[in-house]
């Protein structure tokens, strides 16, 4: 157990140094980048070890897995900002709204309409729910997300919905041996954000780019990521 905690602490420190170095290459400050520790398959003690290192944002890909963990951490007095990074089924929207601060995986206007309707009822009086539009840049058939061509139209539709704030775009890059190979994917997401931020498409400019995982986050930060989602490099490396 002590060993596990020390490992997580060393991993968090290393990842943070890598983020700082990658940001520095582009004259960016590390504070511009939020590190979301992705905890799928990770037990509560290791999650607490990450929180003890100053991590404030945790990510899960499934609502069912997040629910008991969120409960356990709340009971233990931990304050966590929860991020949903995996596909959201429409029948889980209600439960998701009770847990997550940001939904990274909005992948259709239809899901956004459901989220909006429920958020207006369940979050009355609270600020709008932050959502990101997931874009399948590489067009991989097994991945969720709208096509880059559809992104402008869907972004405009989501931005007009009450109860939600479209805060940015998210993508999952293909798995490759050399992270340099996915640099164009990250660059394309950044360009898409610029296109969508041109006057007249969405009212509020999109601030966020959620991109970069354990194998490719340094390249993603160089290309403008504002949120990186990291699991294995924190919880599995020794
Ligand atoms: C699992 C997962 C991550 C973290 O992946 P690692 O390779 O473990 O860093 C990030 N984003 C999404 C959407 C995930 O499902």
């Amino acid at each position: 157990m002590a060993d596990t905690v020390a490992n997580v602490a060393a991993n968090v420190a290393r990842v943070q140094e890598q983020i700082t170095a990658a940001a520095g290459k582009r004259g960016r400050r590390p504070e511009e980048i939020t590190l979301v520790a992705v905890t799928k398959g990770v037990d509560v003690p290791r999650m607490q070890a990450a929180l003890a290192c100053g991590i404030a944002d945790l990510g899960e890909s499934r609502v069912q897995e997040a629910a008991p963990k969120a409960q356990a951490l709340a009971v233990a007095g931990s304050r966590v900002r929860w991020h949903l990074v995996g596909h959201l089924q429409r029948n889980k929207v209600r439960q998701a709204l009770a847990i997550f601060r940001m939904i990274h995986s909005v992948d259709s206007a239809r899901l956004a309409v459901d989220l909006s309707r429920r958020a207006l009822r369940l979050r009355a009086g609270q600020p709008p729910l932050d959502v990101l539009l997931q874009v399948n840049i590489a067009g991989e058939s097994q991945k969720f997300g709208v096509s880059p061509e559809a992104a402008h139209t869907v972004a405009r539709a989501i931005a007009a919905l009450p109860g939600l704030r479209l805060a940015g775009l998210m993508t999952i890059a293909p798995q490759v041996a050399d992270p340099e190979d996915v640099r164009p994917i990250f660059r394309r997401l950044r360009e898409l954000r610029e296109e969508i931020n041109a006057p007249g498409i969405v009212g509020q400019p999109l601030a966020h780019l959620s991109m970069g995982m354990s194998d490719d986050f340094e390249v993603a930060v160089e290309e403008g990521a504002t949120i990186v989602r990291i699991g294995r490099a924190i919880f599995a490396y020794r």
Side-chain angles (χ1 to χ4, degrees), residues 92-166:
K92 298 282 188 326
V93 162
R94 186 189 177 81
Q95 211 186 350
L97 281 170
I99 301 172
F100 296 100
R101 172 77 71 92
M102 180 181 267
I103 312 267
H104 291 226
S105 46
V106 174
D107 51 17
S108 69
R110 190 161 168 229
L111 172 61
V113 166
D114 274 14
L115 276 167
S116 166
R117 197 183 299 133
R118 292 269 189 188
L120 285 177
R121 251 188 285 150
L122 299 172
R123 295 173 47 97
Q126 292 180 56
L129 175 73
D130 280 334
V131 299
L132 306 179
L133 174 61
Q134 182 173 353
V135 186
N136 186 354
I137 300 276
E140 293 175 284
S141 58
Q142 75 278 20
K143 289 217 170 97
F144 289 100
V146 300
S147 69
E149 296 72 34
H152 303 76
T153 309
V154 181
R156 190 187 283 127
I158 297 173
L161 292 170
L164 304 183
R165 185 177 77 109
L166 181 63

Side-chain angles (χ1 to χ4, degrees), residues 60-106:
E60 283 283 343
S61 50
R62 290 156 59 94
V63 179
Q64 310 90 287
E65 186 175 345
K69 292 171 166 181
Q71 173 79 22
L73 289 174
V75 167
S78 299
R79 292 173 60 90
V80 175
R81 288 193 295 259
W82 285 99
H83 299 249
L84 182 67
V85 301
H87 177 64
L88 176 57
Q89 289 171 290
R90 294 171 71 223
N91 63 4
K92 298 282 188 326
V93 162
R94 186 189 177 81
Q95 211 186 350
L97 281 170
I99 301 172
F100 296 100
R101 172 77 71 92
M102 180 181 267
I103 312 267
H104 291 226
S105 46
V106 174

